[in-house]
Structures are given as structure tokens and as C-alpha cells.
Amino acid sequence: MSESAPAWVVPAALTPGASIRVVAPSGPFDARLVWRGLGWLRQRYEVRFDRGMFETRGYLAGDDPRREGELAAALLEPGVSAVICARGGYGASRFAHRLDWTTLRTSPRWLVGFSDVTALHVEAAAVRVSSWHAPNVTALGQGNAEAREAFVDALEHPRRVRSFAGLDPMFAGRAVGPLFGGNLTLLHACAAAGRLRVPPGAVLFLEDVTEQPYRLDRMLTTLLVGGHLEAVSGVVLGEFTDCRPGRDGVTVEAVLRELLAGLGKPVASGLPCGHGLTNVPLLFGARATLTVEPNRVALGFEPPSTRID
Amino acid sequence: MSESAPAWVVPAALTPGASIRVVAPSGPFDARLVWRGLGWLRQRYEVRFDRGMFETRGYLAGDDPRREGELAAALLEPGVSAVICARGGYGASRFAHRLDWTTLRTSPRWLVGFSDVTALHVEAAAVRVSSWHAPNVTALGQGNAEAREAFVDALEHPRRVRSFAGLDPMFAGRAVGPLFGGNLTLLHACAAAGRLRVPPGAVLFLEDVTEQPYRLDRMLTTLLVGGHLEAVSGVVLGEFTDCRPGRDGVTVEAVLRELLAGLGKPVASGLPCGHGLTNVPLLFGARATLTVEPNRVALGFEPPSTRID
């Protein structure tokens, strides 16, 4: 590598029987869905969790010390191969900056989740540890066989080369760089909190849910104005679920197209990731290749260490 | 002054017959309300505006070049004593960072408005020019005699010492510093854009509209995490209009109280400013005194130059 940044650490693949810990760093959840998800995970792994995870404190899964302590312990607990989030919502931003993330590099393990969990992926990426942007336990509890299979495949075969064809072209070009991103609202909040460090050359993935187009405009505009997207090599757009136009009729696609045009980088949309029915696991930190050409629009990624080892 | 920061510039008071320019840097508006507001302003001032102000482009009052050009010209136009915004909404953030705000210091004039106009107040404060957080023209068009009287009084008597008693105490103490702030959503966006520079010692005013409590939590949390409120000497809360609890039942007041407790600074609420029926003009950059004592909860302010001249 020509950069001075450290190489990405890729935690070890899970095997059946591996120990995983489920945590709830964000919002409270439908306990039935989480129990179902836990039950399914238990068929394959040794699943650990604290009963406190089921606490509800307004829109939080227990108070800050509980959620922070739970995650801090999970990041250091011997023998744990993956830390899987019960649900998103809101709450990880309240303490993510206080955790010592360097231990994730020295004692690597998978951080798994999406939506509000973006705040944690941002911290993992800052110390260059790969993490899985993938369904939370509530989503696994919904019993979609395909989603569960993809989840196990991700955790047990992180070094598999993966690709998604048939995306929709927005701006042509080819980009290669570390896969990174997540929920736009959370990335924006991380920027305001001074925590967002987009890896140089990143292929940036974005998704969101229930945000009106003008709000997406504001968030993407401020990321652009703040220079957070200057080092991005390309953008791949996932689901923008229930981001319906207001009375003005402006669509999400129109907003994203207008604002991303200024980047001058390849952009594709239609990646089945985010808050939609399908949420294909994405390996953050992977070496991603985004191709937006007349005859081919695709995203491929492989673990970074297949090149840097 | 002990700091090395430059003294605040206070633009000249308006007199009847003064030239003012109305601009639309943000969203489109109900033209009837603006015509009514213009009609009322014309009874007292020489009112200038471009017809292009009435353009609508989705959720914007015309495209970026139109809105940016209109404001840039207004900031330099000879003889103009005040630049008054037609409406908030969204859109000023798209170009505020590109304007040369130093001319506001060398050719001072009043910047007047609120809500999305917070993005412009942030830029004015960064160059230490006082501005009026006050109703936009659409609000003036609604014909509230008291609001109109307060508006004229603000523009024509900016050096008048003003005070508001009867606020609600949240945390006790006494703070003295430059009055600054505005819409929390916009301040948060300015932080993400790298534009927010809270003046040292600021008495921070906050208001918002149609944001759920958990969203206000996220925005205030990230401002705190990002260190943006470290130099604040006190906080005065205005209206949080239609910021109703979600299913979790957590109120705005509970969120603000919990998060602001950590500041260890005096906090009062109930200032009649923001998106409510009353929107009392606030002189940003004024020397504000926030008093939260058992027998007295009040905000007072006076132009900074009464002390530093």
C-alpha cells in the first residue's frame, strides 16, 4: 500500500458453535422478534446476551450506562467472535465516542448491524477494522430464509468474493476503494459530532428510511459542504425506504442525482441493502469495485487482506 | 475585551423611508402572504425585491444560482439597510458557505429572518456582525399587529435594552455572553457542514418545529459530542412547536433537561421565539444576560457596542 494508513483488520470467520454476543446499543424492540432471532441463532452458535438488553427507557433500550457497558464488555469479552445488534432505532451515538475502539483492532471480532448501528461502523472503520453491515436480530427474527442464509454465509465466509450485478446507472465510471457507509442520517450526525472519517478512496454506500427528500438534500448537502465526500471514489445507493416526496413532488432520486452530479464520481443505485425487504450483507472495509459502464453496472467486493497480506 | 476576537459590528438603525431588500434564499412560499407582508413593509420603507423571488423549483424558491445571486447582490447593494428573508423552509445551506461574508462587516446591514435563515445568521456571527432573529415576511403577512410593531421596533431601535421575564427555570445560574443560536436542526446541519462556530461565552438560543423528541436528542447529543457547546455560558430555549412525543411518550422537555444537565450551565425555557404564534425578535451578537434564580428567571440583552465602543 502506498498510503500510510494501517491495513484493514478482518476478524476471523465464524464456524458453527462459535460464541456470539447480542447487544442492544440503540432503541428498544419487539421482544418476540428478538426471541425468535435468538432462537434461530442458537441453532448454530453459542449465543450470549444480558437480560438487561430487554429494558426499555423511552426510545432507548435501557439507560446510557447499561447500553454502553454492555457494548464495552462485548468488545473485550474473551472468545466472542461476533457482536450482533438487536435493533437500530436511536441511541448508539450517545456513547460510541466514549468507547476505546483500539481494542477492536487488538482483539478483533465482527460488529454486525445496520441503521443506527452505522454510528458503530463509523468507529470501527476509523480504526480500520472490517465490520458487517447486515440485518439486526429483529430482522433475523422475521424468519426470511434467504436473509438468514446470507447472514450465516457472510459471517462464516467473509473472504468470499461477492458481487451484485443489475444495479441502476446514475453516473458512469469505475471506482476501487474500501466499502464504507450506511445510514445517511447517522453519517450526517457523526459528521456533526466530529466522528466521521470517510476512508480515503471509499466506495460510499448510502441508505435511509422515512426521510423526506428535502431532508436527504440537507444532509447530503452538508456532507458535501463539509468536505466529507471529497475523498470518495464512488457512491452506491441502497434502499431509500418510505422517503416519499412532499407536496413539492421532488423525488429522492432527483435529489440524489442533482447533488451527486457535483462529485464527478461513478454512482449506481438499486443495491438491495437497507430498510427494504432484502438487506444483503456488506463487508465494510472490503476492497470494493464499483463499475458503472454502458454494458455493466455492478458492485463487487473482497476482503482487503486478500490484496494486502 | 480580553479575547482577541473582533468586536461585534452592529448595523445602523433603520428610519422610516429606509431601503430594505426582501430575498428568498430558502423555500417557496404562499405568495399572498408575501404580498401582504411586502404591502405592509411598503407603508414604512422603500422595499426592493426581484420578481424571481416568486419562482418555485420543488422545495426551493428557484435554483441555487438565483437564490445565491439574489442574496449576494443584496449583501453588497448600496443604500440597503436590511436584507429580510421572505420565508424559511430549506435551501440557504446549499450556498451560504460560498458567499463572501466579510463584506457584511465592511458594508453592514441587517440580516433578518429565522428557521432556515439560521444558516445565514451562523455566517453573520462568524464575522461578528449582529443580525435579527425575527419573523420572515410570510409571518409579517399574517397581519399580527403586535408582531409587526415588535419587528419595526427591533429594526429602528436596535440599541434599546430589552428583557423577557417569566421564563421557566431548568438549571440555575447566571450567564453573560453574546446571544446566538436559532433552529436546532439548522445548527446541527451547520455543524456537519463545518460552518458552525459558536461564539465563546454564547448564551445559546434554541428552537425547532416538527421534530420528534428522539431526533432532537440526536441533534443535541451530536452537538455536545462534537464539542460545539463547550464554550456556551447558558442556554435559553424557545418554542419547540409540534415536537410531539412518539409512541414512547418521551417529551421534548425531558430530552432537553436530560441532555442539558450535562452542560452544567444555567438553562431557561419558555422564550416566546421560534415557530409559535409569537416570535419576539432576538438580537444575535447582543450582550445577553441569562438569569435563572429562585426569584427571577429572565433574559436581557443590549447591543454589544454599548460596552465595547
Side-chain angles (χ1 to χ4, degrees):
Chain A
M1 301 222 304
S2 56
E3 312 108 68
S4 58
W8 286 81
V9 167
V10 181
L14 265 66
T15 49
S19 296
I20 63 177
R21 181 166 279 278
V22 175
V23 297
S26 306
F29 42 78
D30 181 335
R32 288 170 314 164
L33 283 179
V34 166
W35 279 118
R36 272 193 234 151
L38 290 172
W40 173 74
L41 285 166
R42 273 175 163 163
Q43 294 175 23
R44 195 167 182 94
Y45 306 113
E46 192 244 328
V47 179
R48 306 175 185 178
F49 63 91
D50 288 336
R51 281 283 176 163
M53 179 174 90
F54 290 89
E55 281 181 22
T56 293
R57 183 176 174 279
Y59 44 74
L60 300 170
D63 63 18
D64 288 359
R66 192 210 72 72
R67 298 184 344 275
E68 179 178 352
E70 181 186 61
L71 181 56
L75 291 176
L76 286 173
E77 187 178 357
V80 164
S81 303
V83 178
I84 304 177
C85 296
R87 194 205 145 209
Y90 165 71
S93 311
R94 291 184 42 147
F95 61 82
H97 61 288
R98 284 200 295 258
L99 298 176
D100 177 9
W101 289 93
T102 62
T103 67
L104 190 62
R105 212 175 151 79
T106 50
S107 302
R109 58 203 62 205
W110 293 105
L111 175 70
V112 187
F114 81 112
S115 196
D116 194 60
V117 181
T118 299
L120 307 179
H121 288 302
V122 162
E123 301 292 344
V127 295
R128 297 292 187 272
V129 176
S130 272
S131 56
W132 276 111
H133 182 277
N136 299 317
V137 178
T138 47
L140 295 172
Q142 279 160 357
N144 180 313
E146 204 177 347
R148 288 175 169 184
E149 196 178 318
F151 190 88
V152 166
D153 183 64
L155 286 172
E156 299 189 9
H157 304 284
R159 296 187 169 278
R160 188 167 278 171
V161 175
R162 295 162 198 276
S163 64
F164 306 92
L167 305 181
D168 300 312
M170 192 173 271
F171 299 110
R174 194 161 179 279
V176 179
L179 189 58
F180 172 79
N183 183 270
L184 175 56
T185 296
L186 264 294
L187 293 172
H188 181 251
C190 289
R195 305 299 297 179
L196 184 63
R197 303 278 180 272
V198 177
V203 172
L204 183 72
F205 160 71
L206 297 174
E207 65 88 23
D208 220 320
V209 60
T210 60
E211 295 292 340
Q212 282 182 58
Y214 87 92
R215 285 178 180 266
L216 297 168
D217 180 328
R218 181 161 56 208
M219 294 191 282
L220 195 50
T221 292
T222 55
L223 287 182
L224 288 162
V225 170
H228 297 285
L229 307 189
E230 270 168 22
V232 159
S233 67
V235 178
V236 57
L237 301 167
E239 304 280 356
F240 285 82
T241 310
D242 295 335
C243 294
R244 280 182 281 269
R247 276 175 302 177
D248 51 69
V250 180
T251 64
V252 174
E253 206 213 338
V255 168
L256 296 172
R257 182 179 289 276
E258 181 191 358
L259 292 174
L260 293 173
L263 267 188
K265 299 287 163 60
V267 180
S269 64
L271 193 68
C273 299
H275 287 78
L277 287 177
T278 304
N279 185 9
V280 172
L282 296 177
L283 182 65
F284 284 174
R287 183 177 182 278
T289 304
L290 177 65
T291 308
V292 188
E293 290 168 355
N295 58 345
R296 182 172 152 77
V297 184
L299 173 75
F301 62 81
E302 55 190 305
S305 58
T306 57
R307 294 296 169 110
I308 61 177
D309 272 351
Chain B
M1 302 223 303
S2 56
E3 312 107 69
S4 59
W8 287 80
V9 167
V10 181
L14 264 67
T15 48
S19 295
I20 64 177
R21 179 165 280 277
V22 174
V23 297
S26 306
F29 43 78
D30 181 334
R32 287 170 314 166
L33 283 178
V34 166
W35 279 120
R36 272 193 235 151
L38 291 172
W40 173 74
L41 285 166
R42 274 175 161 164
Q43 294 175 21
R44 193 164 184 98
Y45 306 112
E46 191 244 330
V47 179
R48 307 176 186 178
F49 63 92
D50 288 336
R51 280 282 176 163
M53 179 174 90
F54 290 89
E55 280 181 23
T56 294
R57 183 176 174 280
Y59 43 74
L60 300 170
D63 63 18
D64 287 0
R66 192 208 72 72
R67 298 184 345 275
E68 179 177 352
E70 180 185 63
L71 182 56
L75 291 175
L76 286 173
E77 188 178 357
V80 164
S81 303
V83 178
I84 303 177
C85 297
R87 192 205 146 209
Y90 165 71
S93 311
R94 291 184 42 147
F95 61 82
H97 61 289
R98 283 200 295 259
L99 297 175
D100 176 10
W101 289 93
T102 62
T103 66
L104 190 60
R105 215 176 147 79
T106 50
S107 301
R109 59 202 62 203
W110 292 105
L111 175 70
V112 187
F114 81 113
S115 197
D116 195 59
V117 181
T118 298
L120 307 179
H121 288 303
V122 162
E123 301 293 344
V127 294
R128 297 291 187 273
V129 175
S130 272
S131 56
W132 276 111
H133 182 278
N136 298 317
V137 178
T138 47
L140 295 173
Q142 279 160 357
N144 179 313
E146 203 176 347
R148 289 175 168 183
E149 195 178 320
F151 189 88
V152 166
D153 184 64
L155 286 172
E156 300 190 8
H157 304 283
R159 300 190 165 276
R160 189 167 279 171
V161 176
R162 293 162 201 276
S163 64
F164 306 92
L167 304 181
D168 300 312
M170 191 173 274
F171 300 110
R174 192 160 180 281
V176 179
L179 188 58
F180 173 77
N183 184 270
L184 176 57
T185 296
L186 265 292
L187 293 172
H188 181 251
C190 288
R195 306 298 298 180
L196 184 64
R197 303 276 180 273
V198 177
V203 171
L204 183 71
F205 160 71
L206 297 174
E207 65 88 22
D208 219 321
V209 60
T210 62
E211 295 293 338
Q212 282 182 58
Y214 87 91
R215 286 177 179 266
L216 297 169
D217 181 328
R218 181 161 56 209
M219 295 190 283
L220 195 50
T221 292
T222 55
L223 287 183
L224 287 163
V225 169
H228 297 285
L229 308 189
E230 270 167 21
V232 158
S233 67
V235 178
V236 57
L237 302 167
E239 305 280 353
F240 285 81
T241 311
D242 294 334
C243 294
R244 281 181 281 267
R247 277 174 303 177
D248 52 69
V250 180
T251 63
V252 174
E253 205 211 342
V255 168
L256 296 172
R257 182 179 289 275
E258 181 191 358
L259 293 174
L260 293 173
L263 266 188
K265 299 285 163 61
V267 180
S269 64
L271 193 68
C273 299
H275 287 78
L277 286 177
T278 304
N279 185 10
V280 171
L282 296 178
L283 182 65
F284 284 174
R287 182 179 184 275
T289 304
L290 176 66
T291 307
V292 188
E293 290 168 355
N295 57 345
R296 181 172 154 76
V297 184
L299 173 75
F301 62 82
E302 55 191 304
S305 58
T306 56
R307 293 298 167 108
I308 61 178
D309 271 352

